[in-house]
Amino acid sequence: MVRLLAKLVGLSLLLISGVIAVRYYIEHNSTAQQVRQLQEQKLKLEQIVQRLSSERRAAEVLVTEQKMVDGQLQTTLLWVEYANDQTPLPARTFSFVGDTAHVDALVIQFEKPFLMNEDTLRGQSIALFTRLFGEHQTPADGYPIDAPGKIPDIYRGGDPRLSEFEKNLWADFWRLTTDKDYAQRHGVRVAYGQSVWTRFVPKRLYTLRIEADGGVNITSDPLRGIYSEALDRSNKS
Protein backbone atom coordinates (compact mmCIF):
# COMPACT_ATOMS: atom_id res chain seq x y z
CA MET A 1 0.00 0.00 0.00
CA VAL A 2 2.75 2.35 0.98
CA ARG A 3 4.66 1.43 -2.14
CA LEU A 4 1.56 2.14 -4.31
CA LEU A 5 0.99 5.48 -2.61
CA ALA A 6 4.60 6.46 -3.14
CA LYS A 7 4.34 5.46 -6.76
CA LEU A 8 1.18 7.57 -7.20
CA VAL A 9 2.86 10.54 -5.52
CA GLY A 10 5.87 10.12 -7.80
CA LEU A 11 3.69 9.98 -10.88
CA SER A 12 1.76 13.04 -9.70
CA LEU A 13 4.98 14.96 -9.17
CA LEU A 14 6.20 13.88 -12.58
CA LEU A 15 2.91 14.95 -14.15
CA ILE A 16 3.02 18.30 -12.38
CA SER A 17 6.62 18.80 -13.47
CA GLY A 18 5.66 17.94 -17.03
CA VAL A 19 2.75 20.40 -17.00
CA ILE A 20 5.01 23.12 -15.61
CA ALA A 21 7.66 22.36 -18.25
CA VAL A 22 5.10 22.38 -21.06
CA ARG A 23 3.57 25.61 -19.79
CA TYR A 24 7.01 27.19 -19.52
CA TYR A 25 7.89 26.03 -23.02
CA ILE A 26 4.63 27.42 -24.45
CA GLU A 27 4.93 30.73 -22.60
CA HIS A 28 8.61 31.07 -23.48
CA ASN A 29 8.10 30.32 -27.14
CA SER A 30 4.93 32.44 -27.26
CA THR A 31 6.89 35.35 -25.81
CA ALA A 32 9.70 34.80 -28.31
CA GLN A 33 7.18 34.70 -31.14
CA GLN A 34 5.55 37.88 -29.92
CA VAL A 35 8.95 39.55 -29.73
CA ARG A 36 9.70 38.48 -33.30
CA GLN A 37 6.30 39.76 -34.46
CA LEU A 38 6.83 43.08 -32.71
CA GLN A 39 10.30 43.39 -34.23
CA GLU A 40 8.91 42.64 -37.70
CA GLN A 41 6.11 45.20 -37.21
CA LYS A 42 8.63 47.78 -36.00
CA LEU A 43 10.85 47.17 -39.03
CA LYS A 44 7.88 47.45 -41.39
CA LEU A 45 6.74 50.69 -39.74
CA GLU A 46 10.26 52.11 -39.99
CA GLN A 47 10.35 51.21 -43.69
CA ILE A 48 6.95 52.82 -44.22
CA VAL A 49 7.99 56.00 -42.43
CA GLN A 50 11.25 56.11 -44.39
CA ARG A 51 9.43 55.60 -47.69
CA LEU A 52 6.72 58.18 -46.95
CA SER A 53 9.26 60.73 -45.80
CA SER A 54 11.77 60.09 -48.58
CA GLU A 55 12.32 62.36 -51.55
CA ARG A 56 13.43 61.54 -55.05
CA ARG A 57 15.59 63.94 -57.00
CA ALA A 58 13.69 65.31 -59.96
CA ALA A 59 15.88 68.07 -61.41
CA GLU A 60 18.96 70.16 -60.71
CA VAL A 61 19.10 73.81 -61.73
CA LEU A 62 21.88 76.37 -61.61
CA VAL A 63 22.51 79.90 -62.83
CA THR A 64 24.95 79.92 -65.73
CA GLU A 65 24.72 83.66 -66.36
CA GLN A 66 23.18 86.70 -64.73
CA LYS A 67 23.78 90.13 -66.25
CA MET A 68 22.18 93.47 -67.08
CA VAL A 69 20.67 93.70 -70.59
CA ASP A 70 19.14 97.04 -71.66
CA GLY A 71 18.82 98.10 -68.05
CA GLN A 72 17.19 94.85 -66.93
CA LEU A 73 18.63 91.91 -65.06
CA GLN A 74 18.56 88.75 -67.16
CA THR A 75 19.08 85.27 -65.73
CA THR A 76 19.98 82.11 -67.64
CA LEU A 77 19.35 78.73 -66.01
CA LEU A 78 20.74 75.29 -66.81
CA TRP A 79 18.16 72.55 -66.14
CA VAL A 80 19.29 68.91 -65.78
CA GLU A 81 17.13 65.88 -65.06
CA TYR A 82 18.11 62.27 -64.39
CA ALA A 83 16.61 59.07 -65.75
CA ASN A 84 15.65 56.10 -63.58
CA ASP A 85 19.21 54.76 -63.78
CA GLN A 86 20.51 58.19 -62.66
CA THR A 87 22.11 59.00 -66.02
CA PRO A 88 21.67 62.69 -66.91
CA LEU A 89 19.15 63.55 -69.63
CA PRO A 90 19.89 66.27 -72.23
CA ALA A 91 20.29 69.59 -70.44
CA ARG A 92 18.04 72.56 -71.18
CA THR A 93 18.61 76.30 -70.94
CA PHE A 94 16.03 78.91 -69.95
CA SER A 95 16.50 82.69 -69.94
CA PHE A 96 14.16 85.24 -68.36
CA VAL A 97 14.10 88.81 -67.09
CA GLY A 98 14.66 89.17 -63.35
CA ASP A 99 16.02 86.63 -60.89
CA THR A 100 12.84 84.88 -59.74
CA ALA A 101 11.19 82.03 -61.61
CA HIS A 102 8.22 79.70 -61.15
CA VAL A 103 8.03 76.00 -62.04
CA ASP A 104 4.55 74.59 -62.62
CA ALA A 105 3.88 70.89 -62.14
CA LEU A 106 1.07 68.35 -62.28
CA VAL A 107 1.16 65.99 -59.32
CA ILE A 108 -0.50 62.60 -58.82
CA GLN A 109 -0.69 61.14 -55.31
CA PHE A 110 -1.77 57.55 -54.75
CA GLU A 111 -3.73 56.00 -51.90
CA LYS A 112 -1.66 55.32 -48.77
CA PRO A 113 -1.92 51.48 -48.90
CA PHE A 114 -0.10 51.45 -52.25
CA LEU A 115 2.70 53.59 -50.82
CA MET A 116 2.96 51.50 -47.66
CA ASN A 117 3.03 48.19 -49.50
CA GLU A 118 5.62 49.32 -52.08
CA ASP A 119 3.22 48.76 -54.95
CA THR A 120 5.18 48.43 -58.21
CA LEU A 121 3.00 50.92 -60.08
CA ARG A 122 1.83 53.21 -57.30
CA GLY A 123 4.59 53.05 -54.73
CA GLN A 124 5.35 56.78 -54.89
CA SER A 125 3.85 60.03 -56.10
CA ILE A 126 4.71 61.21 -59.60
CA ALA A 127 4.92 64.66 -61.15
CA LEU A 128 5.08 66.22 -64.59
CA PHE A 129 6.78 69.62 -64.93
CA THR A 130 4.72 71.65 -67.35
CA ARG A 131 6.61 74.95 -67.63
CA LEU A 132 9.07 77.45 -66.21
CA PHE A 133 8.49 81.21 -66.37
CA GLY A 134 10.15 84.31 -64.95
CA GLU A 135 8.60 86.83 -62.61
CA HIS A 136 7.91 89.25 -65.48
CA GLN A 137 6.39 86.60 -67.76
CA THR A 138 2.86 85.29 -67.88
CA PRO A 139 2.51 81.52 -67.42
CA ALA A 140 1.29 81.27 -71.02
CA ASP A 141 4.60 82.77 -72.19
CA GLY A 142 6.68 80.36 -70.11
CA TYR A 143 9.01 77.64 -71.37
CA PRO A 144 7.47 74.16 -71.74
CA ILE A 145 9.33 71.38 -69.94
CA ASP A 146 7.37 68.11 -70.25
CA ALA A 147 5.02 67.52 -73.17
CA PRO A 148 1.39 67.38 -71.93
CA GLY A 149 -0.15 63.91 -72.03
CA LYS A 150 3.18 62.12 -72.48
CA ILE A 151 5.46 60.30 -70.07
CA PRO A 152 8.27 62.61 -68.89
CA ASP A 153 11.69 61.40 -70.01
CA ILE A 154 12.68 60.89 -66.39
CA TYR A 155 10.11 58.09 -66.09
CA ARG A 156 10.94 56.30 -69.32
CA GLY A 157 12.62 52.91 -69.26
CA GLY A 158 12.49 50.27 -66.58
CA ASP A 159 9.32 48.27 -66.06
CA PRO A 160 7.19 48.52 -69.26
CA ARG A 161 4.03 48.14 -67.17
CA LEU A 162 4.99 51.29 -65.32
CA SER A 163 5.42 53.26 -68.54
CA GLU A 164 2.02 52.15 -69.89
CA PHE A 165 0.31 52.78 -66.56
CA GLU A 166 1.72 56.30 -66.25
CA LYS A 167 1.09 57.08 -69.92
CA ASN A 168 -2.64 56.53 -69.34
CA LEU A 169 -2.58 58.66 -66.19
CA TRP A 170 -0.90 61.61 -67.89
CA ALA A 171 -3.17 61.33 -70.93
CA ASP A 172 -6.25 61.51 -68.69
CA PHE A 173 -4.83 63.74 -65.96
CA TRP A 174 -7.72 66.19 -65.80
CA ARG A 175 -10.21 63.34 -65.74
CA LEU A 176 -8.53 62.20 -62.54
CA THR A 177 -9.42 65.55 -60.98
CA THR A 178 -13.13 65.35 -61.84
CA ASP A 179 -14.06 61.64 -62.14
CA LYS A 180 -13.86 60.14 -58.66
CA ASP A 181 -14.67 56.59 -59.77
CA TYR A 182 -12.00 56.73 -62.49
CA ALA A 183 -9.42 57.97 -59.98
CA GLN A 184 -10.31 55.24 -57.48
CA ARG A 185 -9.95 52.53 -60.12
CA HIS A 186 -6.36 53.68 -60.65
CA GLY A 187 -5.62 54.02 -56.93
CA VAL A 188 -5.27 57.81 -57.21
CA ARG A 189 -6.00 59.75 -54.04
CA VAL A 190 -5.64 63.23 -55.52
CA ALA A 191 -4.34 64.92 -58.69
CA TYR A 192 -3.64 68.64 -58.81
CA GLY A 193 -1.49 71.42 -60.20
CA GLN A 194 1.30 72.93 -58.12
CA SER A 195 3.70 75.81 -58.56
CA VAL A 196 7.01 76.31 -56.74
CA TRP A 197 9.15 79.38 -57.13
CA THR A 198 12.32 80.89 -55.77
CA ARG A 199 14.94 83.54 -56.35
CA PHE A 200 17.87 82.19 -58.37
CA VAL A 201 21.38 83.48 -57.66
CA PRO A 202 24.80 82.36 -58.96
CA LYS A 203 27.02 79.89 -57.12
CA ARG A 204 24.12 77.79 -55.83
CA LEU A 205 22.68 74.46 -56.91
CA TYR A 206 18.88 74.30 -56.83
CA THR A 207 17.23 70.89 -56.54
CA LEU A 208 13.60 70.08 -57.22
CA ARG A 209 12.39 66.93 -55.49
CA ILE A 210 9.19 64.92 -55.53
CA GLU A 211 8.15 63.79 -52.07
CA ALA A 212 7.23 60.11 -51.91
CA ASP A 213 3.74 60.82 -50.60
CA GLY A 214 3.12 63.87 -52.76
CA GLY A 215 4.18 67.39 -53.60
CA VAL A 216 7.21 69.12 -55.12
CA ASN A 217 9.74 71.14 -53.18
CA ILE A 218 12.79 73.16 -54.12
CA THR A 219 15.96 73.65 -52.07
CA SER A 220 19.36 75.17 -52.70
CA ASP A 221 22.91 74.50 -51.55
CA PRO A 222 26.27 76.15 -52.26
CA LEU A 223 27.62 75.06 -55.62
CA ARG A 224 30.33 72.46 -55.27
CA GLY A 225 33.82 73.55 -56.26
CA ILE A 226 34.13 71.57 -59.49
CA TYR A 227 30.91 73.04 -60.89
CA SER A 228 31.78 76.54 -59.75
CA GLU A 229 35.21 76.32 -61.40
CA ALA A 230 33.71 74.99 -64.63
CA LEU A 231 31.23 77.87 -64.76
CA ASP A 232 33.97 80.42 -64.10
CA ARG A 233 36.05 79.01 -66.98
CA SER A 234 32.99 78.98 -69.24
CA ASN A 235 32.11 82.61 -68.47
CA LYS A 236 35.70 83.78 -69.04
CA SER A 237 36.08 82.04 -72.40
Side-chain angles (χ1 to χ4, degrees):
M1 184 69 179
V2 174
R3 187 182 305 167
L4 178 60
L5 183 60
K7 186 176 182 180
L8 289 174
V9 171
L11 290 172
S12 297
L13 291 174
L14 182 62
L15 178 61
I16 292 171
S17 299
V19 170
I20 293 174
V22 170
R23 180 176 295 177
Y24 175 81
Y25 177 81
I26 293 174
E27 290 180 351
H28 177 74
N29 282 273
S30 176
T31 301
Q33 184 178 6
Q34 290 176 356
V35 170
R36 284 196 300 271
Q37 290 176 342
L38 289 173
Q39 289 176 337
E40 291 173 358
Q41 291 175 0
K42 179 176 178 291
L43 178 61
K44 186 173 182 180
L45 287 173
E46 289 175 346
Q47 291 173 341
I48 290 173
V49 170
Q50 182 179 7
R51 187 158 56 252
L52 294 182
S53 61
S54 66
E55 298 172 322
R56 184 172 55 78
R57 182 171 55 198
E60 292 182 342
V61 186
L62 56 87
V63 176
T64 58
E65 189 175 47
Q66 201 166 60
K67 62 182 181 180
M68 299 300 294
V69 179
D70 297 328
Q72 293 182 309
L73 181 65
Q74 181 170 300
T75 299
T76 300
L77 300 179
L78 180 68
W79 173 289
V80 180
E81 291 187 75
Y82 294 83
N84 287 330
D85 60 1
Q86 293 304 303
T87 56
L89 299 171
R92 308 184 192 187
T93 300
F94 306 114
S95 295
F96 56 91
V97 174
D99 59 8
T100 301
H102 300 248
V103 177
D104 285 351
L106 300 179
V107 179
I108 296 176
Q109 297 181 24
F110 297 102
E111 296 288 355
K112 295 294 185 183
F114 296 112
L115 296 173
M116 294 181 177
N117 295 324
E118 296 186 90
D119 184 272
T120 302
L121 302 181
R122 291 157 288 202
Q124 63 181 8
S125 298
I126 54 178
L128 182 152
F129 294 108
T130 55
R131 62 194 165 201
L132 180 148
F133 58 96
E135 59 187 313
H136 300 294
Q137 287 179 288
T138 64
D141 293 329
Y143 298 99
I145 301 177
D146 294 322
K150 295 184 179 180
I151 305 173
D153 288 338
I154 192 172
Y155 295 122
R156 295 185 185 278
D159 191 335
R161 296 178 305 157
L162 182 62
S163 296
E164 187 63 27
F165 177 73
E166 291 184 0
K167 179 180 179 181
N168 293 334
L169 290 182
W170 294 126
D172 295 326
F173 178 85
W174 294 112
R175 183 180 175 185
L176 293 172
T177 68
T178 56
D179 190 334
K180 186 175 181 180
D181 291 336
Y182 180 74
Q184 287 180 340
R185 287 200 300 273
H186 288 80
V188 173
R189 178 164 60 92
V190 64
Y192 58 93
Q194 181 183 0
S195 181
V196 294
W197 59 278
T198 190
R199 178 173 174 258
F200 289 92
V201 297
K203 304 289 187 178
R204 296 196 70 83
L205 181 67
Y206 297 84
T207 306
L208 288 96
R209 295 183 176 91
I210 304 169
E211 298 171 358
D213 62 342
V216 177
N217 63 49
I218 183 169
T219 59
S220 74
D221 296 287
L223 197 60
R224 285 173 287 180
I226 187 170
Y227 295 116
S228 181
E229 293 170 8
L231 280 175
D232 288 341
R233 288 196 299 270
S234 177
N235 291 333
K236 291 176 181 178
S237 59

